[in-house]
Amino acid sequence: MSTFFRRRLLAGVIAVSAASAGWLGGATGTAEAASISTWDKVAACESSGNWSIVATVGGVTYYGGLQFDYGTWKAYGGQQYAPTANLATKAQQIAIAEKTLAVQGQGAWPTCGPKAGLGADRSDPFPMRVDTVTGGSVFDNQRNRDGSWSGAALLDGNGQITQTATAALADGTFHVTTLANGRVYDNQRNTDGSWTGAALLDDNGQITAISSTALPDGTMHVQTVSQGKVFDNQRNTDGSWTGAALLDGNGQITAVSSSGLTNGTMHVQTLAQGSVFDNQRNTDGSWTGAALLDGNGQITGISSAGLSDGTMHVQTVSQGKVFDNQRNTDGSWTGAALLDGNGRITAVSAAGLVDGTMHVQTLAQGSVFDNQRNTDGSWTGAALLDGNGRITGISASALAG
């Protein structure tokens, strides 16, 4: 079928009337979902996989990889991301397509939906993963779109792991990076749920801390701390690595965290002598250099997460309490505000989700608690996620958009 005829067929099918837009909130829908790989197949059929395309056929204009018309994109909440679908990220387009699918089923894409097997796929395209270290082994726990958790399952029984870092890539894969005996290993979770197994990434032998983050361009960065200095290693879209390159030669760094923002930049936070510094990687690959972010002097742990609205949050642990600092889209900071006054927190991790929420996990007395930040800025409060009692490390990640 020609592209022209297919788009002509879709006109009036994927479109949503004003009356329907009001009906969406009360609809039970079909509660369907699909993996990123299936949505890629739909986009290949609809737009040849061009997520920024704009095409006008028969007087109707369609936008983006999944060819939304203006009314549908608006009715299902797409304008929280961009005025039209072609201006939104791939992840954001899929997030709105998920809402469309839940109400209309694969019939919203009458030709390309069935062709891609859209109706038969029940996968969650944007889960969140929390990885914990207990007894030197890593356990993996998935948060599903309905808010349920799979429960912590053994991922890596190495027995000598001291730290883990987690990153969600735009292609739907996850990477769990582990630190054992001063060396770093990387394990990829494929879109079908299988794992490649931990492979040696950096055999430095003197690494003491790690972090990782993924960028919208499909690359991933792993940061390592060795002898108080930070090194950055980029994973390219073809799976190759550039190798660890010196990023910050401070010499007194004890911890590192990082986040990728929707504008393509990356931020690396470092902890040195109880204070936090922030270093921005620009889209051209240059760095601004580490600048003092929080001179508290008593900070013992850090984490960060980028949100789908373009903001970033940095969490710090000081005297067993967690503070949250928001970086606004104009580059200003709100300042660290008390988030969790537990008093016994030893570690923190965070993940921003495509729907605009953020989850902050705290580790206290060997158990993990999860606190959700809603899109209006409110928090649900820390709730017990894993009461193991022997957990020594945590990391989390989700695709933010």
Side-chain angles (χ1 to χ4, degrees):
M1 181 181 296
S2 70
T3 301
F4 175 90
F5 182 74
R6 176 164 40 79
R7 288 189 182 132
R8 190 71 184 94
L9 178 64
L10 283 173
V13 178
I14 195 172
V16 177
S17 68
S20 296
W23 161 78
L24 292 177
T28 57
T30 59
E32 295 177 357
S35 64
I36 291 178
S37 59
T38 295
W39 284 117
D40 280 336
K41 293 176 184 176
V42 177
C45 174
E46 288 288 348
S47 63
S48 299
N50 186 344
W51 294 88
S52 60
I53 196 173
V54 177
T56 301
V57 178
V60 180
T61 302
Y62 301 95
Y63 304 88
L66 301 171
Q67 291 292 273
F68 285 97
D69 69 9
Y70 180 83
T72 305
W73 180 253
K74 180 179 180 180
Y76 284 92
Q79 290 189 330
Q80 67 180 297
Y81 302 127
T84 52
N86 63 299
L87 300 176
T89 66
K90 172 182 172 179
Q92 291 164 352
Q93 291 180 51
I94 291 175
I96 300 305
E98 286 278 308
K99 294 182 179 181
T100 308
L101 178 65
V103 175
Q104 297 188 24
Q106 69 175 357
W109 297 269
T111 299
C112 297
K115 182 179 178 180
L118 187 59
D121 191 343
R122 297 294 188 271
S123 303
D124 183 353
F126 304 120
M128 181 177 77
R129 313 199 81 80
V130 173
D131 297 287
T132 53
V133 180
T134 301
S137 296
V138 173
F139 295 79
D140 181 73
N141 195 347
Q142 175 174 302
R143 182 184 186 275
N144 304 306
R145 61 182 294 155
D146 62 2
S148 64
W149 293 86
S150 64
L154 181 65
L155 172 59
D156 190 327
N158 179 294
Q160 295 181 304
I161 296 167
T162 55
Q163 192 176 344
T164 182
T166 312
L169 276 64
D171 62 5
T173 63
F174 275 83
H175 284 253
V176 175
T177 307
T178 52
L179 173 61
N181 295 319
R183 296 175 172 83
V184 175
Y185 300 80
D186 184 70
N187 193 349
Q188 175 177 304
R189 183 185 188 274
N190 304 308
T191 54
D192 62 4
S194 63
W195 294 86
T196 60
L200 183 64
L201 173 60
D202 191 325
D203 64 354
N204 177 295
Q206 294 182 302
I207 296 168
T208 54
I210 56 173
S211 66
S212 65
T213 196
L215 298 181
D217 63 6
T219 62
M220 179 178 80
H221 287 251
V222 172
Q223 296 82 36
T224 54
V225 179
S226 178
Q227 297 181 302
K229 303 175 183 179
V230 174
F231 298 79
D232 183 72
N233 193 348
Q234 176 177 303
R235 183 185 186 273
N236 304 308
T237 54
D238 63 3
S240 63
W241 294 86
T242 60
L246 181 63
L247 172 58
D248 190 325
N250 177 294
Q252 296 180 304
I253 295 167
T254 55
V256 62
S257 62
S258 56
S259 291
L261 276 63
T262 55
N263 63 5
T265 63
M266 177 175 70
H267 285 252
V268 174
Q269 298 82 38
T270 51
L271 175 61
Q273 297 182 300
S275 296
V276 175
F277 299 79
D278 182 72
N279 193 348
Q280 176 177 303
R281 182 185 187 272
N282 304 308
T283 54
D284 63 2
S286 63
W287 294 85
T288 60
L292 182 64
L293 173 59
D294 190 328
N296 176 297
Q298 295 182 304
I299 296 169
T300 55
I302 54 174
S303 65
S304 65
L307 275 62
S308 60
D309 63 5
T311 63
M312 179 178 74
H313 286 250
V314 173
Q315 298 81 34
T316 53
V317 179
S318 178
Q319 297 181 305
K321 302 174 183 179
V322 172
F323 298 80
D324 182 74
N325 193 347
Q326 176 177 303
R327 183 185 187 273
N328 304 308
T329 54
D330 63 3
S332 63
W333 295 84
T334 60
L338 181 65
L339 172 59
D340 191 326
N342 177 294
R344 298 182 181 182
I345 296 167
T346 54
V348 64
S349 62
L353 279 65
V354 170
D355 64 7
T357 63
M358 177 176 68
H359 285 253
V360 173
Q361 299 80 39
T362 50
L363 175 60
Q365 296 181 296
S367 295
V368 174
F369 299 80
D370 182 74
N371 193 347
Q372 176 177 303
R373 183 184 187 273
N374 304 308
T375 54
D376 64 2
S378 63
W379 295 85
T380 60
L384 182 65
L385 172 60
D386 190 328
N388 178 294
R390 297 185 301 125
I391 297 169
T392 56
I394 53 174
S395 65
S397 185
L399 195 63

